[in-house]
Amino acid sequence: MNPKKIFIEKIKEKGGWVNAHSHLDRAYTLTKKNFKYSYFSINKKWYLVDEMKRLSTEDDIYIRMEKAVEYFIMQGTQALCTFIDVDEIIEDRALKAAKKLKNNYGNFIHICFANQVLKGVLEKKSKYWFDQSIEFVDIIGGLPAKDYGKEDEHLDILLETAKKKGKIVHVHVDQFNTNEEKETEKLAKKTIEYGMQGKVVAIHSISLAAHHRTYRYKIYQLMKKANLMVISCPIAWIDHTRNEHLTPSHNSITPVDEMVPEGIIVAFGTDNICDIYKPFSDGNLWIELRVMLEACHYYDIDHLVKIATINGLKVLGL
């Protein structure tokens, strides 16, 4: 038996891979100069990318995105979602590059765009660029941790906007692998509050695995009530730095092995490629899935195929 061969054939039968989460406007931005930033924490990297963004022209961004898209097409990818930065640093350059990419490659691969609100959505400048991106993007993106202490207000803006515009929402939550985080719970409750069941997706939800079993399964039930879907990006989080917090033994990865049997729709994505966030990640979808199945000790081929194809289409609203 060759499980990889079986898996790849089943992927082809379903129309090809779906990369449900990426940041292609930042792909291939790693340099000898900024490589040192790879060792910093994620919340520091939120600011360290500003230098790269400030210096990037519209053509620079387009070339990076085009290179990544062509690589995914080579792998047999039918659809992908990429977040694009929209803030006072990069202004509308990533938006313009994204429009050009959609025009040039839309007939070869289904590309969905989401707005990456790396500066939050509450401050005046941040909200301005958030608003500027709304008409173009297919998906409303969020990062509540960036508006720390005002996460509820952040989510209110995302969900109000999405409901008004008839769009789905993808939100980065529970990224720090600690039982102090409960953002997935908060997102599920907000989804129900706004009547957005089935239209909201949690990206990462790493910290769920750091909680005790009773809490985890309580949240899985809440997620099902909210019809909250999930995207796991295994390589992006398997390297999470150790800490001295006492938690259940777990890998720093979305608990896919628990979510899927509970009926939660899980998709997957590559997240960052060859930048200060993930310097060695190259966007290989098979390796991405391999890390997931090994880290979660989850070998159900049929469900893994769904994660890589059908579920990806669902979380993208396709």
Side-chain angles (χ1 to χ4, degrees), residues 1-201:
M1 179 180 178
N2 186 333
K4 178 182 177 181
K5 185 177 180 181
I6 293 170
F7 178 85
I8 296 298
E9 286 301 317
K10 287 179 176 286
I11 291 287
K12 291 178 181 177
E13 290 171 8
K14 297 294 183 183
W17 299 91
V18 178
N19 179 3
H21 183 70
S22 63
H23 294 271
L24 301 188
D25 55 341
R26 300 188 207 142
Y28 313 113
T29 54
L30 190 71
T31 65
K32 288 182 179 180
K33 182 180 178 182
N34 68 22
F35 183 80
K36 60 189 176 188
Y37 297 153
S38 303
Y39 292 94
F40 285 72
S41 64
I42 182 173
N43 47 336
K44 288 184 179 178
K45 289 176 182 177
W46 291 343
Y47 299 95
L48 291 170
V49 292
D50 280 356
E51 180 183 11
M52 174 275 294
K53 288 160 58 176
R54 192 176 290 111
L55 296 174
S56 293
T57 67
E58 180 185 331
D59 286 341
D60 292 333
I61 300 165
Y62 176 80
I63 290 168
R64 296 197 293 258
M65 296 177 80
E66 182 182 58
K67 180 179 178 180
V69 165
E70 289 191 348
Y71 179 53
F72 287 119
I73 292 173
M74 283 175 56
Q75 293 182 69
T77 307
Q78 60 175 308
L80 67 82
C81 175
T82 177
F83 273 62
I84 50 174
D85 287 317
V86 285
D87 53 49
E88 64 269 27
I89 304 297
I90 204 159
E91 297 179 324
D92 64 350
R93 297 193 297 281
L95 275 172
K96 289 179 177 178
K99 290 174 183 178
K100 183 178 177 182
L101 189 78
K102 196 162 194 172
N103 289 336
N104 291 346
Y105 284 88
N107 292 329
F108 303 98
I109 182 172
H110 198 119
I111 307 173
C112 295
F113 292 96
N115 48 347
Q116 173 68 344
V117 289
L118 207 52
K119 303 298 181 185
V121 295
L122 299 183
E123 293 181 3
K124 187 175 180 181
K125 287 182 180 179
S126 304
K127 183 61 164 57
Y128 172 80
W129 286 108
F130 172 80
D131 291 339
Q132 292 300 304
S133 65
I134 292 304
E135 294 303 324
F136 172 71
V137 296
D138 308 285
I139 296 166
I140 306 298
L143 180 63
K146 192 60 190 65
D147 285 317
Y148 182 74
K150 298 181 178 180
E151 293 90 344
D152 283 335
E153 294 174 50
H154 184 109
L155 292 173
D156 287 336
I157 288 175
L158 302 185
L159 293 169
E160 284 173 6
T161 304
K163 194 161 189 175
K164 180 179 178 181
K165 298 294 183 179
K167 299 191 178 189
I168 59 177
V169 184
H170 284 200
V171 188
H172 297 76
V173 292
D174 285 344
Q175 299 183 92
F176 297 111
N177 195 31
T178 170
N179 56 18
E180 295 174 358
E181 280 193 310
K182 294 184 176 181
E183 289 180 339
T184 303
E185 177 182 359
K186 188 182 293 287
L187 180 60
K189 288 178 176 177
K190 281 290 182 182
T191 298
I192 295 168
E193 178 185 334
Y194 280 87
M196 290 285 285
Q197 290 92 331
K199 297 179 181 179
V200 180
V201 180

